[in-house]
Amino acid sequence: MDYRRGVVTGESVWRAIVLYGANSATYKFAFGTTLLEIAATGRDHVTLDELAPRYAELLCQALQRQPRQGTAARSRFLDACRAFNVGDLDRDTLHRRTVQLGFGNVIDAFPQLRGGQAPVRYYEDRRRNSTLPGLVIRDELHRLARSVHARDLDAETTARWRLVETAWTTGVSGALLVPSLVYDPGTRDLVLHTRQRRRSVTGVAAALSGYQDGRCAYCDRLMARDAAGGPVVEHVLPWKLKRLPIRHWNGPDVDTVWNLALSCTSCNQAKQDRAPHETWMPWLERRNNDLIESRHPLREVLMSQTGDTEAARHATLKSAYQRATELLPAVWTPPARVPTA
Ligand SMILES: [Zn+2]
């Protein structure tokens, strides 16, 4: 249902920018969050002076969380944020520096996807306009900010940000460590395991929802409208495999990201401890390839667990499915997909 499968909507393109756009710094995430907040107020024009406080605040907070927010050796803008964090720079100076240095190429780069300009434009760059310089916010962005997806988009951006900065900080992107992202059902978080440590990265629902366009993995209904409070984190191949009396399961850990998806509450309740019918499984294979395409650290994690190539991953998934349904033969047939607006 996403833009990459040919459906161009304001939401699907925004998600593609956040999940699949190039990452050399995390400015994009701060900029996207700031834009959505401004658009939610209904304004149709904004200056860099007006964007700067919130944009800088998000990056200052991020630097306190993780020192690495870009791949470049130095950034004068991030240095200004660091100086503000330790009290060496006052707020007004930080905002002036943000206007001078902070927007660099993020305004041009934000709407870029690999392969060129995104097919939806959210704003027009009028920085050089002499009478009213700044950005013109287009209707597409207003609509997005008011849509049922808005809160999800914000959470998804934050989750993606945490994953990217975690990869840079732990060196996962250098593939020196074999990492693992394991689901913790107590906190509903993805926990990064490396040889050195174990650390909660982000909520699993926010990390995965963008790859499903906010829709149930099985029935395709929008999870934001789930009256029972979905989404629910699903083990596609049942979690019970890990807990069989005699440990027969020899596939990859079912608690890790390759086997996790989000569903609505009614599909979750109907599925119980069963694998989905095998005709559904290409969905998971395709979704895992999407996770790989969005790179650090998901690429490294998925490849280490399920294989380096699409063919290898297909074989891994196929044998995992066969083994799972030998051990737990009952399968569940998901309902027909009923997309809702
Ligand atoms: Zn469902």
Side-chain angles (χ1 to χ4, degrees):
M1 281 306 294
D2 70 15
Y3 154 62
R4 298 167 68 258
R5 275 162 285 154
V7 180
V8 175
T9 65
E11 290 83 8
S12 65
V13 173
W14 185 274
R15 282 173 159 133
I17 289 170
V18 168
L19 299 175
Y20 304 110
N23 295 306
S24 59
T26 58
Y27 308 157
K28 171 174 83 178
F29 304 123
F31 186 65
T33 298
T34 307
L35 277 181
L36 270 183
E37 288 176 8
I38 296 265
T41 68
R43 299 183 51 173
D44 52 18
H45 182 274
V46 63
T47 63
L48 297 195
D49 283 314
E50 291 166 331
L51 286 168
R54 178 63 172 146
Y55 177 64
E57 180 188 27
L58 288 166
L59 282 159
C60 287
Q61 287 169 355
L63 285 164
Q64 285 176 327
R65 189 170 67 226
Q66 291 281 2
R68 190 104 193 251
Q69 294 292 331
T71 54
R74 283 298 291 278
S75 154
R76 290 169 66 206
F77 169 48
L78 291 182
D79 285 347
C81 294
R82 288 188 188 97
F84 174 79
N85 278 346
V86 296
D88 288 347
L89 207 66
D90 64 50
R91 198 173 291 277
D92 286 348
T93 313
L94 172 68
H95 293 166
R96 268 203 313 282
R97 297 257 176 99
T98 303
V99 171
Q100 288 161 0
L101 307 168
F103 295 98
N105 65 4
V106 75
I107 291 172
D108 295 330
F110 185 82
Q112 299 290 325
L113 281 165
R114 280 174 223 150
Q117 189 79 12
V120 173
R121 292 175 64 203
Y122 301 98
Y123 55 84
E124 287 163 31
D125 182 3
R126 300 274 174 84
R127 279 176 289 177
R128 296 205 172 82
N129 186 301
S130 53
T131 47
L132 194 59
L135 303 182
V136 171
I137 296 172
R138 304 191 76 209
D139 286 347
E140 199 59 70
L141 186 53
H142 286 131
R143 205 187 57 71
L144 197 62
R146 287 194 309 266
S147 80
V148 67
H149 297 264
R151 195 191 294 174
D152 288 348
L153 294 176
D154 191 39
E156 289 165 20
T157 304
T158 305
R160 183 69 199 137
W161 190 342
R162 301 276 166 106
L163 283 165
V164 170
E165 69 188 13
T166 299
W168 288 337
T169 304
T170 55
V172 168
S173 57
L176 295 170
L177 306 165
V178 178
S180 189
L181 283 168
V182 178
Y183 176 52
D184 178 341
T187 58
R188 289 170 43 102
D189 279 352
L190 280 178
V191 178
L192 183 83
H193 289 250
T194 64
R195 273 178 223 153
Q196 280 93 350
R197 56 183 170 161
R198 179 185 188 283
R199 181 156 57 85
S200 181
V201 177
T202 185
V204 70
L208 296 181
S209 125
Y211 301 92
Q212 305 180 200
D213 262 5
R215 292 172 183 276
C216 172
Y218 301 119
C219 71
D220 219 31
R221 272 195 287 261
L222 269 179
M223 293 180 293
R225 294 191 175 151
D226 187 341
V232 183
V233 181
E234 263 295 319
H235 290 82
V236 172
L237 300 184
W239 178 81
K240 195 177 170 186
L241 289 165
K242 268 177 98 155
R243 296 290 178 272
L244 291 176
I246 303 165
R247 201 177 162 83
H248 293 296
W249 176 247
N250 55 3
D253 185 352
V254 294
D255 256 337
T256 56
V257 71
W258 72 273
N259 189 48
L260 301 173
L262 306 177
S263 84
C264 70
T265 11
S266 72
C267 285
N268 170 265
Q269 283 164 3
K271 180 177 178 285
Q272 299 177 336
D273 274 340
R274 295 177 288 179
H277 192 275
E278 64 179 342
T279 53
W280 178 87
M281 290 301 283
W283 185 98
L284 186 66
E285 194 170 331
R286 194 264 312 145
R287 193 289 312 263
N288 285 348
N289 287 331
D290 288 351
L291 296 184
I292 282 172
E293 204 172 311
S294 80
R295 309 185 76 83
H296 312 314
L298 295 169
R299 179 184 179 82
E300 293 76 11
V301 168
L302 264 289
M303 284 182 167
S304 74
Q305 286 166 348
T306 58
D308 288 346
T309 63
E310 284 196 23
R313 292 190 292 275
H314 175 77
T316 302
L317 211 56
K318 195 172 173 190
S319 73
Y321 186 85
Q322 274 172 358
R323 186 69 181 143
T325 48
E326 281 162 23
L327 296 168
L328 301 170
V331 297
W332 171 69
T333 303
R337 293 182 169 264
V338 279
T340 49

